[in-house]
Each structure stands twice: as C-alpha cells, then as structure tokens.
Amino acid sequence: MKILVPVKRVVDANVKIRVKPDGTGIDFANVKMAMNPFDEISVEEALRIKEAGLATEVVVVSIGPDKAAETLRTGLAMGADRGILVKTDARIEPLAVAKLLKAVIAAEEPGLVILGKQAIDDDSNQTGQMLAALLGWPQATFASKIVLTDGGATVSREIDGGSETIALKLPAIVTTDLRLNEPRYASLPNIMKAKKKPLDETTPEALGVDVTPRLTVLGTVEPAGRTGGIKVASAAELVAKLKEAGAI
Amino acid sequence: MTTLIIAEHDDHSLNEATAKTLTAAKALGAPVDILVAGLHCRAVAEQAAQLDGVAKVLLADDEELAHRRAEPVAALIVSLADGYDAIVAPATASGKNVLPRVAALLDVMQVSEITKVISPTVFERPIYAGNAIETVESHDPKRVITVRIAAFPATGTGGNAPIETVGVPTDTGLSSWISADLSTSDRPELAGARIVVSGGRALGSAEKFNEVIAPLADQLKAAIGASRAAVDAGYAGNDLQVGQTGKVIAPDLYVAVGISGAIQHLAGMKDSKIIVAINKDPDAPIFQVADYGLVDDLFSAVPAFIAALKG
C-alpha cells in the first residue's frame, strides 16, 4: 500500500508574524518558513507505518510556489520516497487543495492519505475533511493513534471531553493531532540523499482543476491589543484588585 | 431564505455552544432552524426548541447518527441543504469534523471559526494563531460557516419552536464507532466556564499539578485548563489543553499558573476579560497580556492566593 502525505510550507511556528500596516496581508519579507508542524507528524506516521512493513511507499505532495519544493525535500530527508509539487503562485484555498489532491490521488491510488489537522497559517482545519468528501472516503480527524488492520484502520481521535476510537474501511483519510507522534529530525546524510530523490512537478492546469478562490480577503488587521497590565506585590493585593474589578 | 444550525449535544442535553452559535446565526438576518442529529435525542430537540427566536427544530433520530460520525451526519445535512442558504455549526471537535465535509459535498468553501458577522456574506476570522484578523467575503451560493463560540454570547431561552422529524439517508458503512474514553469531572466545562485556572510546565508533575491547581480551582469554582507543555508532560489530560491546537476560550477570569505564554497558548486565551499570571520569571511573555501579574514562586504564591481568597 502506498501512503500519500500532503505537506504545506508555512511561516515557522515560532515566528511572531507582522501584519502589513496597509491591511493587505502578512509581511513575509525575510520570514523563516518551515513545514507545517502537523504535516511533520503526518510524514512521521507514514514512515512508521512503512517501517512496520505495512506500506510500500510514502509520497509527499505540496501545492504552492517553487519554494514549496524545499518543504518536499524536508519530507524526503525525513524518509519519504518521492515528492510531487503542484506548482502555482496563486492563493489556494482548502477546497481547491482538496480538488488538486483528488486529481493527484486519481493517478497515485494511495491506500491511505495522512494530512495535518490544520495549517498554522490559515487555521482552517478543512482540507482533510473536504478531500474525504470529494473522494467519498471515510475520514478520521484529529488522530492520536492509528492501527492498521486487514483492509481497514482503527483510529483514536481527540474530541472535546476525551477521545473516541473509530474503524474505517480503506482507502481512507486521516488527519493528525499533536499527540500522534514525535516527528524525527532529518540527519545530514539523509538531507544529502534527499536531494537525489525524485521530485515531479505538475500544475493545477495540467490536473484540470479550477482553483479560483471562493472567498475574497477584504482586509487583514492586527487583533486589538490588550491594555498594559500591572504587577502586584502580593497575593493579598491580587485578591484586592480582582475584587475591585468585580472578577471575583 | 433560512439558516440551519447543527446542534452540539450528547443525545441527552444541548451544549451551550449551540446557543452561542445561534447568536452568530441570527446576525445573518434570516430565520434560523436547528438540526438535532443523534440517537434517542428528542429531549435535546425540546431544549433547542426553547431557545429564543428559533423558527423550527429538525429532529433526525437514528441508529446511524449515534456518536455523530462524519459520513452519515454530513450526508444528512447535505440532504437538507436545498432549503438553506447558510449552514452553521459551532467550531467544536464535532463541528470541525463534519462541516468541511458538508462544504465540499456542496462545492463551497467553508469559512472557519468566525468571530464576527459583518454582513450575511462578510465575516471576520482569526488567522496565524490569532495574531491577525482577516475579513473575508464569500462568493459561494451557500455559506458554510463554523463559529468560534468564545466570541459570541449565548442566546437565552423563552422560545417554543415546533419540532419536525426528518428522514436520514442510508449510511454507506464506510466507518463505525468502537468506543469512547471521556474524562469525567464535576467541575464546570472548560469551554463555557466563567473562571478558568490553568497550569503549565512549572508545576513539575501530575501530582503537583493536582495539588496546586485543584484547590485554587475549587476555591474559585473554576474549570481547569493546561498549557500544551503540561499536557505533553502528562500533568493533565489532552482535553484540558488551552491554545491554538486545543480549546479557545474567553472566560471572565483566566488565571495562568506557571505558564510562560507561548503564542500558541495565547491564541487560546487572550480574549479572556481579565488575565492573571503567576510566574517566577518576570520576563515571561505571559506578563505582556496579563492584567494582574504576580512574580513569585507558584508553590508559595498559589497557597497564599487561596488563603487571601478565603479572607
């Protein structure tokens, strides 16, 4: 069985982003980019399944500009076998990503697709569910444990108030939560080896997918800042202040 | 036309997330129906019917809807979609699981976790862990929306809407439910609590977490939360995590104990009305958002806080 892992190039999770003063978006100048943290977890899980002898190939796919190839190389350095870049400079929404992935899946025929539960830039949490819908496949979102069984998968999911376990028929879509695993670091030799692994390129046009956005971004602003607080000297003063403010 | 809300519930009682979603849905300006999908859940439909200003409650009571698996629930919503131009759910684990599946089946983009309704097609939503607010306009024929419940007050009761039973499409059997492991607690629910006491990595162990945080939460009648570091270290359950990847809350009072204040954590609590931070590091980022900061060792400061609260 082949596992397909979509990965996204996003602003590094530790960067404090800046909103452009003219309200047109986020300032990406000289900002460090990285693989979306949830996608690292997806790659790791796919590799572990392959290492357990339950998958034959792990293919990473990314949609974005030329530089998204770097993100694919990161996945290859972790241990993925092959990369596919769907090259576009357009703003691509989750629905369009799901349609592009559906087209890639038609050619690749994976038995399992593992995505991150959300990207830390647009915070949408949609692509995996949308892809499952378009394919007519079952979905297990927010996975904290994946066990492959004969022709199926048993997945524990993080839900409000605890967790639940569901069974899926394969092929299926799984989206990863933070608790699923601890992603490995790529070693230097593996980073070197990754440069030689195959990386195919295609485009939305070649895949026959209309990626016209359905949402128009009218503006992007900084959230209202909090007014500066005070430091109190003791617990007694803290309680007095909270009583004064009517909080307790 | 009309707006359809997907109710959040556990087959026995209606979750307050539904009443908050109703407030957002009413801002769209159209009549609002509520769909209650589950098994043996008529009592929930009766509670939904009492919410103020609901036009109609649709009750889908069926074996296949037990545990609200995404595949049958999405199929049900799509079967009802013709009558609606907006489909709205709270951005709970369940809403986030089901609604994008609905959106894709209808070939529309979902607008995730709105915090404000500007017009029936224009919404505000946070991006980049709440470090930017985006205003988006939908050009789709139908709007599919999830609502950040911490951003809207709950609609009150006083209504008496009719309850109508709806049929359920045949399930395709792609998935099945096996078991659930839910944490039981007598404390207020984290998502809706008026006061939340959260602990971080500085607590040092699960025992210390309980020893220090629980008495303070008891004294304040507060829900307990945790930072990701505390959850990853095993001090608290996953479902208590506050942050970008956990729950986003906005209580009246948020007490952060031994939490440094990483941006991912702030994303989950920075809209709280009053934030208190107790941390021995005076440079911890949490103090930049805290209304009241106490620089002290938490192991002495929290007992002193409890003593002062007892007066």
Side-chain angles (χ1 to χ4, degrees):
Chain A
M1 179 180 76
K2 188 191 288 185
I3 302 179
L4 191 78
V5 183
V7 295
K8 185 176 186 182
R9 181 176 182 264
V10 299
V11 172
D12 186 279
N14 299 309
V15 170
K16 172 92 168 73
I17 57 107
R18 294 180 308 272
V19 177
K20 287 188 197 165
D22 64 0
T24 56
I26 308 300
D27 187 357
F28 294 114
N30 303 315
V31 170
K32 187 180 174 220
M33 306 293 280
M35 185 189 288
N36 180 44
F38 291 101
D39 302 345
E40 290 183 347
I41 294 168
S42 308
V43 174
E44 176 65 34
E45 194 66 18
L47 294 173
R48 289 186 190 190
I49 292 170
K50 188 186 165 196
E51 285 158 3
L54 298 168
T56 49
E57 192 183 25
V58 174
V59 180
V60 284
V61 52
S62 194
I63 298 161
D66 277 332
K67 291 209 161 175
E70 292 169 9
T71 310
L72 289 171
R73 292 286 174 204
T74 304
L76 297 175
M78 287 174 74
D81 298 291
R82 215 152 45 78
I84 301 169
L85 173 62
V86 181
K87 217 170 100 176
T88 172
D89 289 322
R91 185 173 68 86
I92 306 285
E93 294 172 339
L95 181 63
V97 170
K99 289 179 178 179
L100 291 166
L101 291 175
K102 184 188 176 194
V104 169
I105 285 163
E108 294 285 337
E109 299 183 332
L112 181 65
V113 182
I114 309 180
L115 305 88
K117 80 164 175 182
Q118 76 191 62
I120 60 164
D121 51 3
D122 65 12
D123 283 335
S124 287
N125 194 333
Q126 299 177 10
T127 304
Q129 297 90 314
M130 287 183 154
L131 180 59
L134 297 178
L135 292 163
W137 290 5
Q139 68 187 55
T141 51
F142 325 145
S144 55
K145 189 178 177 192
I146 304 172
V147 179
L148 290 184
T149 53
D150 190 26
T154 304
V155 182
S156 300
R157 310 178 52 233
E158 296 201 357
I159 58 173
D160 297 333
S163 69
E164 70 171 13
T165 302
I166 58 173
L168 310 172
K169 284 184 183 163
L170 295 182
I173 303 291
V174 174
T175 76
T176 59
D177 215 324
L178 285 170
R179 242 67 61 181
L180 183 59
N181 60 46
E182 190 73 43
R184 69 193 67 184
Y185 289 101
S187 66
L188 188 60
N190 285 343
I191 292 170
M192 300 310 289
K193 269 189 232 161
K195 293 184 177 169
K196 296 198 180 96
K197 288 185 179 176
L199 201 162
D200 293 329
E201 278 189 19
T202 183
T203 62
E205 295 72 33
L207 293 171
V209 175
D210 175 12
V211 296
T212 312
R214 307 291 187 84
L215 304 177
T216 307
V217 179
L218 302 178
T220 307
V221 296
E222 296 232 12
R226 295 187 68 92
T227 46
I230 56 161
K231 293 230 171 97
V232 294
S234 68
E237 190 190 344
L238 176 58
V239 170
K241 291 283 183 198
L242 289 175
K243 280 188 176 153
E244 216 174 279
I248 53 174
Chain B
M1 283 240 290
T2 311
T3 299
L4 180 66
I5 290 181
I6 316 305
E8 175 82 16
H9 66 96
D10 62 0
D11 289 333
H12 305 292
S13 58
L14 187 69
N15 189 295
E16 204 193 19
T18 311
K20 293 181 172 186
T21 303
L22 177 57
T23 303
K26 280 176 163 179
L28 299 172
V32 181
D33 292 355
I34 297 184
L35 170 66
V36 174
L39 180 63
H40 308 316
C41 56
R42 176 163 280 275
V44 178
E46 283 162 6
Q47 291 162 37
Q50 289 167 15
L51 289 175
D52 184 51
V54 174
K56 187 166 71 178
V57 174
L58 307 180
L59 172 61
D61 197 325
D62 193 288
E63 198 81 46
E64 285 170 8
L65 300 172
H67 313 294
R68 284 159 285 284
R69 287 177 295 114
E71 299 82 10
V73 175
L76 168 67
I77 296 168
V78 169
S79 76
L80 300 167
D82 271 352
Y84 298 95
D85 59 356
I87 298 168
V88 185
T92 52
S94 181
K96 290 193 271 198
N97 185 39
V98 170
L99 226 57
R101 192 171 177 108
V102 171
L105 291 171
L106 297 172
D107 192 29
V108 306
M109 245 308 280
Q110 173 176 296
V111 187
S112 291
E113 300 218 23
I114 63 162
T115 49
K116 197 173 180 183
V117 176
I118 310 264
S119 82
T121 57
V122 180
F123 312 94
E124 281 186 9
R125 58 177 302 266
I127 55 173
Y128 287 90
N131 287 299
I133 309 292
E134 192 176 67
T135 305
V136 292
E137 178 169 23
S138 167
H139 302 288
D140 278 320
K142 284 183 199 296
R143 261 75 58 207
V144 173
I145 300 163
T146 62
V147 173
R148 175 162 289 187
I149 52 176
F152 295 90
T155 296
T157 53
N160 186 20
I163 299 173
E164 199 176 280
T165 305
V166 294
V168 177
T170 311
D171 188 20
T172 45
L174 293 170
S175 69
S176 56
W177 183 87
I178 297 176
S179 63
D181 181 12
L182 300 178
S183 38
T184 50
S185 169
D186 298 332
R187 296 182 190 286
E189 203 191 359
L190 181 56
R194 200 182 73 76
I195 302 179
V196 173
V197 177
S198 266
R201 198 205 309 261
L203 270 308
S205 70
E207 292 71 33
K208 290 285 177 196
F209 189 98
N210 284 329
E211 253 175 64
V212 174
I213 298 297
L216 179 57
D218 288 343
Q219 184 62 36
L220 289 167
K221 295 185 177 59
I224 290 180
S227 70
R228 187 186 161 198
V231 170
D232 282 352
Y235 305 169
N238 295 346
D239 53 314
L240 298 188
Q241 188 188 319
V242 173
Q244 182 185 22
T245 57
K247 289 199 174 62
V248 178
I249 55 173
D252 291 346
L253 175 61
Y254 187 82
V255 184
V257 179
I259 293 176
S260 63
I263 51 176
Q264 291 82 0
H265 184 75
L266 300 183
M269 46 60 81
K270 68 183 171 54
D271 293 324
S272 305
K273 276 207 191 81
I274 293 179
I275 297 173
V276 169
I278 299 174
N279 202 306
K280 68 177 172 192
D281 174 9
D283 300 321
I286 191 79
F287 287 119
Q288 291 164 21
V289 300
D291 299 281
Y292 304 108
L294 179 57
V295 181
D296 197 357
D297 182 73
L298 66 91
F299 294 106
S300 53
V302 172
F305 188 16
I306 294 169
L309 284 167
K310 286 179 175 162

